[in-house]
Amino acid sequence: MASNLWRSKVFRVVAAAHRSALSSGSRGIQTVTLIPGDGIGPEISTAVMKIFDAAKAPVRWEERNVSAIKGPGGRWMIPPDAKESMDRSKIGLKGPLKTPIAAGHPSMNLLLRKTFDLYANVRPCISIEGYKTPYTDVDLVTIRENTEGEYSGIEHVIVDGVVQSIKLITEDASRRIAEYAFQYARNNRRTSVVAVHKANIMRMSDGLFLRKCREVAEDYKDIKFTEMYLDTVCLNMVQDPTQFDVLVMPNLYGDILSDLCAGLIGGLGVTPSGNIGANGVAIFESVHGTAPDIAGMDLANPTALLLSAVMMLRHMGLHQHGDRIQTACFDTIRDKKVLTKDLGGNSKCSEFTDEICRRVQDLDLGPQ
C-alpha cells in the first residue's frame, strides 16, 4: 500500500525544464561526483556504491572530498577539484558533512548551495510499509527555497552585545521556487500546493514571497493553491499530515518543517533529499548528521543516502535501475529480518547492504 506509493509516484523529482542534459540513461555510463562526507559518510557511500554495482547501474563515480578553503580576497570556497568535477558531471551525491558551530569556516552545505545555485531543496516524505511510526499514510513533499532568507549569512555586530542578522528575500528567488513547486506538482500528478509563510508578521519579506506564489498560482489553475501560516501548518501537520500534498516555503521554514515531516515517517535516516540548481546541476544527499560516535563501527544505516541516490537515478533518466534498487530496499525493510539497529534490528551496515544487493540481483531488469 504505502510502499506502492513510493514505487508509483515519489521521486519524480525534476520537472522537464530542470532535468539533466544527460537524461537518456541507456546511452552510456554517466559520471557522478561523489562526496562521501564526514563521520559515517564514507561507510554509507561505500554501501550505496556496492548496491549500484549489484544493480549494474551505468554510473562512474568521481570521488571528491570537500572542505572549506580560503580563496582570493579571503572568501571561503570549496576545493577547485571538487568544483571542476561538479561542473563537468552536473550530478552529485553527498554524504553528511560536519558543520562547525559558531566558529571556524561556514557550513559546507551552505557553501555548496551557493556555489552551484542549488535553489530548490526537495524532500519527499512518504510512509514506508513495514516501518512502524505513529503515522501510516504520510504522502507529502516539502520544497524549500535554498539560497536566501535567514541563511543568507548576512550578520554583523551593531554594538557590543547586539547582533543583527538580515533576512534576505528577493522577487526573482521567490518566483523561481514558486514556479518549481507548481511545475513539480503538475509533473508528479499532485493536486495542491501550500505556500508556508509568516506575512502577518514579516509583511515585507514574507509578503514578497507570498505575492510571487500568488502570481505563479494564476498560471496553474489545475493545481489548488492555499496559503498557511507556518505555525498553523506545524499544528495541522502533527494532527493530520494526510491533508498536505506539496508545500513550498522560504529557507528557514523549510529547514524546520522538512525535518518535522521526516519525523512523521521515521526520521532523517529514511528520508531522501535532492537539491536542484540552475544550469542542470543537482546534488542529492542524506540530511542526517555525521554520527561520529558510530563511525567506523559498521553500524550506520545507509537508507537515506540510498533513497537519495534513487532520486538521482531518476533525475538522470535511469528509472528502471532506480525502481529496482528502491524495491529491494523497501522489501528488505518490510521483511524485518536484516535491519540496522535504528530500523529496529541488530544487523551491521554491511549485512543490510548485502541483503539489498541480493534482492537487487534477484529482480529482473528490463530494457531501459
Side-chain angles (χ1 to χ4, degrees):
M1 179 189 65
S3 63
N4 289 334
L5 288 172
W6 281 94
R7 293 181 178 124
S8 63
K9 66 182 179 179
V10 80
F11 294 152
R12 304 289 177 179
V13 178
V14 186
H18 297 279
R19 285 194 178 172
S20 167
L22 300 174
S23 61
S24 55
S26 62
R27 296 178 184 173
I29 295 176
Q30 301 182 35
T31 299
V32 171
T33 301
L34 176 66
I35 302 170
D38 304 315
I40 61 172
E43 296 169 66
I44 60 176
S45 296
T46 297
V48 169
M49 288 190 287
K50 186 173 183 178
I51 294 166
F52 269 49
D53 285 345
K56 295 182 171 59
V59 168
R60 183 179 73 86
W61 303 102
E62 192 168 272
E63 186 173 330
R64 294 290 184 270
N65 292 312
V66 298
S67 57
I69 61 174
K70 280 195 175 181
R75 296 188 62 179
W76 291 104
M77 58 185 288
I78 67 171
D81 67 329
K83 185 177 186 307
E84 289 165 7
S85 177
M86 275 300 306
D87 286 341
R88 285 193 307 271
S89 69
K90 302 292 186 183
I91 305 292
L93 182 67
K94 182 182 75 64
L97 292 170
K98 183 179 179 181
T99 299
I101 299 176
H105 62 76
S107 162
M108 285 306 307
N109 294 312
L110 183 58
L111 201 52
L112 283 166
R113 291 172 203 151
K114 289 187 173 182
T115 300
F116 300 109
D117 194 16
L118 300 172
Y119 66 90
N121 175 255
V122 183
R123 247 194 248 186
C125 290
I126 298 182
S127 299
I128 299 175
E129 185 178 349
Y131 187 41
K132 186 173 176 58
T133 70
Y135 303 88
T136 57
D137 294 309
V138 180
D139 179 11
L140 59 89
V141 181
T142 60
I143 297 180
R144 162 190 173 188
E145 204 294 316
N146 232 2
T147 64
E148 53 180 33
E150 291 86 348
Y151 291 180
S152 300
I154 308 172
E155 294 185 314
H156 56 269
V157 176
I158 298 178
V159 296
D160 286 347
V162 180
V163 175
Q164 184 178 58
S165 180
I166 295 176
K167 173 175 179 172
L168 180 69
I169 298 289
T170 66
E171 180 176 310
D172 288 346
S174 298
R175 182 188 296 109
R176 181 168 66 169
I177 196 65
E179 288 175 346
Y180 182 86
F182 278 95
Q183 193 64 50
Y184 177 95
R186 178 179 286 173
N187 288 351
N188 290 274
R189 296 184 295 278
R190 289 183 173 269
T191 60
S192 70
V193 171
V194 175
V196 183
H197 67 96
K198 285 294 289 183
N200 57 324
I201 304 298
M202 286 164 278
R203 298 179 183 275
M204 295 183 69
S205 55
D206 280 23
L208 174 59
F209 172 81
L210 188 56
R211 284 199 304 276
K212 295 302 115 180
C213 289
R214 289 171 179 169
E215 291 174 8
V216 172
E218 290 297 313
D219 296 327
Y220 292 85
K221 295 296 188 181
D222 53 319
I223 306 295
K224 179 183 178 182
F225 174 60
T226 309
E227 308 166 5
M228 292 183 72
Y229 297 139
L230 172 66
D231 43 340
T232 303
V233 170
C234 292
L235 172 64
N236 292 348
M237 185 69 71
V238 297
Q239 290 179 326
D240 179 18
T242 62
Q243 64 188 284
F244 295 103
D245 195 356
V246 175
L247 302 97
V248 61
M249 62 214 80
N251 206 336
L252 175 62
Y253 307 160
D255 190 11
I256 297 168
L257 194 56
S258 60
D259 276 13
L260 185 154
C261 293
L264 304 178
I265 64 168
L268 296 176
V270 294
T271 304
S273 178
N275 298 285
I276 311 304
N279 304 314
V281 175
I283 296 180
F284 300 85
E285 62 180 347
S286 56
V287 290
H288 53 69
T290 58
D293 55 320
I294 62 168
M297 299 172 63
D298 197 20
L299 297 175
N301 172 16
T303 300
L305 188 62
L306 181 62
L307 296 181
S308 299
V310 169
M311 290 178 73
M312 180 190 76
L313 286 172
R314 290 184 168 132
H315 176 76
M316 297 165 69
L318 298 168
H319 299 287
Q320 290 190 30
H321 287 90
D323 291 346
R324 195 174 170 211
I325 293 171
Q326 180 181 285
T327 297
C329 179
F330 289 143
D331 285 351
T332 300
I333 293 173
R334 186 176 61 248
D335 195 45
K336 299 182 180 179
K337 292 179 180 177
V338 184
L339 297 176
T340 55
K341 188 173 182 179
D342 61 312
L343 291 174
N346 291 298
S347 299
K348 302 287 190 181
C349 175
S350 56
E351 294 168 336
F352 181 65
T353 301
D354 288 343
E355 178 64 14
I356 295 175
C357 288
R358 184 187 67 78
R359 291 176 182 269
V360 164
Q361 291 166 340
D362 286 345
L363 294 169
D364 291 328
L365 178 65
Q368 284 283 295

